[in-house]
Amino acid sequence: MGIYDRDYYRDEDDRSFRRASGGMSVVFMLIMANVIIFLADMFLTPAGHQVCHVLAMHSETIFHPVFWFELITYGFAHDPVNFYHILGNMLVLFFFGPPIERRYGKTEFFIFYMAAVLVGGLVWGIQTGIASHRLVQAGQTALHAEMLGASGAVTAIVILFACNYPRAQVLLFGLLPMPAWALGVMYVVMDTLGSFNGGSHIAHSVHIAGAALAALYFFAGLKFTRFSVSKWRRKPRFAKPEESSRPSYTWNLHKHTSAPVPDEQIEAEVDRILRKIRATGEGSLTDTERETLVYASREYQRRQKGG
């Protein structure tokens, strides 16, 4: 049983879900970056929209490594003549992003978002690159398409939200209530059907790539911040294997353990640990901090049952 299943943590997590995110959140910074780029294009290059053109990804990008920066920058540029493009994406990110940021931590959320942008760019780049190459081989003109927008990454956030909170009630178009899992299914079905519509100007393959990444991330239990340089450092060739002095724990509520900290300090310590989880995610906890949560959860349940 993981710490998310424990009553003590669940109560705190529910409260943090409803609480507005304080400080400079990653969601806020991402929204500001998109808005600033949109305004810069509108006011600095209103005639040719060169800002968006430079940041957008193009059908030949995949063949030119010098332009591979577009695999990321396209996700921060939006259609300069369609205000609803950026408005829709930023509204969805505003509503669905904060709960995911609080659940996984700022760093993990940022890496996941950028990974979704990158995966979407790769999928679209390979898809259009192959199509363009085939046209050239057939003696026709190569594709000259460009792709921009945060829709793929935003779709990944929505699907990850639906995976984590499937029964959460959301309002479709701000009017129609529906469970989050149904919204996630609707996203996938609409993009799958839209991908067969050759006349569509929407990059459905990018959305599907974002949804697939989110599903893989959730069901495979991936976590990007688990991969650190220190874990990949090579040990000396003839070094004696090190024996870890850290105990391994099985998180059993019924196992007898003494208080990791004095009882009079347990509430303050648990509050500190929960703030750390919201800031940097569960993976940042030490074994002692995990043991403290287990002990506090057991004591909380014992008090509810009357000791």
Side-chain angles (χ1 to χ4, degrees):
M1 182 182 294
I3 65 173
Y4 288 111
D5 297 317
R6 309 190 184 283
D7 291 338
Y8 192 99
Y9 186 87
R10 188 187 302 276
D11 290 344
E12 180 65 23
D13 188 53
D14 289 342
R15 287 195 296 271
S16 68
F17 180 83
R18 296 189 297 267
R19 190 181 303 132
S21 179
M24 184 70 73
S25 71
V26 174
V27 169
F28 176 78
M29 290 187 290
L30 289 171
I31 292 175
M32 288 302 300
N34 281 272
V35 170
I36 289 172
I37 290 173
F38 184 82
L39 294 177
D41 180 78
M42 179 184 296
F43 292 107
L44 298 181
T45 58
H49 299 292
Q50 287 88 349
V51 171
C52 282
H53 180 72
V54 169
L55 298 180
M57 187 172 177
H58 300 81
S59 50
E60 65 274 12
T61 295
I62 204 71
F63 300 117
H64 304 285
V66 70
F67 294 116
W68 282 359
F69 67 88
E70 296 174 2
L71 288 165
I72 294 295
T73 58
Y74 84 89
F76 293 87
H78 288 80
D79 188 346
V81 297
N82 183 7
F83 176 70
Y84 292 103
H85 187 209
I86 186 173
L87 178 63
N89 281 336
M90 294 305 101
L91 280 177
V92 174
L93 180 59
F94 175 80
F95 285 113
F96 290 94
I100 299 302
E101 180 180 342
R102 288 194 292 269
R103 186 160 184 94
Y104 290 95
K106 297 180 185 298
T107 303
E108 183 69 15
F109 175 85
F110 178 74
I111 297 174
F112 173 80
Y113 185 92
M114 298 305 293
V117 173
L118 177 61
V119 169
L122 284 172
V123 168
W124 187 86
I126 294 173
Q127 178 188 33
T128 56
I130 292 174
S132 181
H133 181 67
R134 287 176 177 173
L135 287 175
V136 172
Q137 284 188 324
Q140 301 179 36
T141 304
L143 286 176
H144 294 289
E146 67 177 29
M147 186 266 295
L148 69 174
S151 302
V154 169
T155 298
I157 296 299
V158 172
I159 299 303
L160 189 57
F161 179 92
C163 290
N164 279 280
Y165 309 104
R167 291 183 294 276
Q169 289 294 310
V170 298
L171 295 177
L172 181 63
F173 304 122
L175 298 174
L176 180 63
M178 63 190 310
W181 69 262
L183 179 65
V185 171
M186 187 184 73
Y187 259 69
V188 174
V189 170
M190 289 180 62
D191 281 314
T192 302
L193 294 176
S195 64
F196 294 101
N197 181 7
S200 174
H201 294 288
I202 300 174
H204 293 286
S205 61
V206 179
H207 300 181
I208 294 173
L213 174 66
L216 176 64
Y217 179 86
F218 179 80
F219 291 108
L222 302 179
K223 192 164 187 181
F224 294 113
T225 49
R226 286 178 184 160
F227 300 97
S228 62
V229 176
S230 61
K231 292 183 180 181
W232 298 97
R233 289 177 182 168
R234 297 183 62 184
K235 294 182 179 180
R237 187 173 181 180
F238 301 105
K240 182 180 179 180
E242 296 180 358
E243 295 183 0
S244 174
S245 60
R246 297 176 66 183
S248 60
Y249 295 98
T250 55
W251 306 111
N252 187 344
L253 279 176
H254 304 290
K255 180 180 178 180
H256 175 73
T257 56
S258 59
V261 297
D263 285 338
E264 61 272 13
Q265 301 177 15
I266 193 71
E267 290 190 11
E269 178 64 7
V270 167
D271 287 340
R272 182 193 68 79
I273 295 172
L274 292 175
R275 288 194 299 271
K276 180 178 179 180
I277 292 175
R278 289 196 296 273
T280 58
E282 179 193 347
S284 65
L285 297 183
T286 65
D287 287 340
T288 300
E289 289 170 334
R290 292 175 183 271
E291 184 179 351
T292 300
L293 285 180
V294 171
Y295 176 82
S297 178
R298 187 181 68 250
E299 289 300 301
Y300 176 77
Q301 291 185 355
R302 183 180 62 79
R303 291 174 196 155
Q304 281 191 322
K305 295 176 182 177

